[in-house]
């Protein structure tokens, strides 16, 4: 069975790049530009992994992470963001909510390692 990944980012170029990259790796990918679109996907076609930005145009990414966790508590979430955080902030506030924190500047081969590690591939 092909694993399903949901990517959430309000920047089209980032969402499309992630989709293309993950599809090349053999995953089925659904992209969402907003938290509301993402919640619809979660309800109708639950993913095996969620990759989300923190700053979404219409909403707070952490608020949606909490909603995803409430409906899919066992699904890993990668926070892929352009915001750089102090390591204490990551440990204290973010790490408890997500499976991995990855800066957007991370090379794709490193992101691949995180994805395959979380999906057990």
């Amino acid at each position: 069975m092909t694993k399903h990944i949901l990517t959430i980012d309000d920047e089209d170029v980032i969402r499309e790049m992630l989709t293309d990259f993950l599809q090349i790796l053999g995953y089925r990918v659904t992209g969402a530009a907003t938290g509301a679109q993402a919640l619809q996907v979660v309800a109708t076609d639950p993913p095996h992994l969620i990759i989300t930005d923190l700053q979404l145009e219409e909403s707070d990414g952490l608020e949606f992470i909490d909603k995803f966790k409430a409906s899919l508590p066992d699904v890993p979430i990668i926070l892929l963001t352009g915001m750089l955080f102090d390591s204490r902030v990551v440990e204290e506030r973010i790490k408890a909510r997500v499976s991995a924190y990855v800066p957007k500047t991370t090379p794709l081969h490193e992101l691949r390692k995180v994805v395959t590690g979380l999906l057990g591939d």
Side-chain angles (χ1 to χ4, degrees):
M1 172 179 73
T2 303
K3 293 187 178 168
H4 179 214
I5 299 175
L6 170 61
T7 63
I8 310 155
D9 200 303
D10 55 358
E11 293 181 66
D12 293 341
V13 69
I14 299 292
R15 202 172 54 254
E16 290 166 8
M17 182 267 312
L18 283 172
T19 297
D20 292 346
F21 176 70
L22 295 166
Q23 285 176 338
I24 288 169
L25 297 177
Y27 298 106
R28 183 169 62 88
V29 183
T30 303
T34 67
Q37 288 176 351
L39 288 173
Q40 213 170 18
V41 171
V42 166
T44 60
D45 187 13
H48 296 95
L49 174 71
I50 297 170
I51 302 175
T52 186
D53 191 6
L54 180 63
Q55 291 181 297
L56 300 172
E57 191 171 301
E58 301 175 2
S59 57
D60 173 10
L62 288 178
E63 175 186 323
F64 279 97
I65 287 170
D66 292 341
K67 289 180 182 182
F68 300 140
K69 283 307 229 183
S71 61
L72 299 171
D74 297 326
V75 171
I77 298 175
I78 296 173
L79 179 60
L80 181 70
T81 183
M83 290 184 66
L84 298 177
F85 292 100
D86 179 279
S87 60
R88 284 187 315 233
V89 172
V90 171
E91 283 300 318
E92 293 172 8
R93 304 200 63 204
I94 296 173
K95 192 124 181 160
R97 291 177 156 158
V98 299
S99 306
Y101 160 71
V102 179
K104 280 187 179 176
T105 56
T106 300
L108 289 176
H109 69 275
E110 293 296 326
L111 178 61
R112 177 185 184 177
K113 289 178 188 178
V114 176
V115 169
T116 57
L118 289 171
L119 290 175
D121 295 341

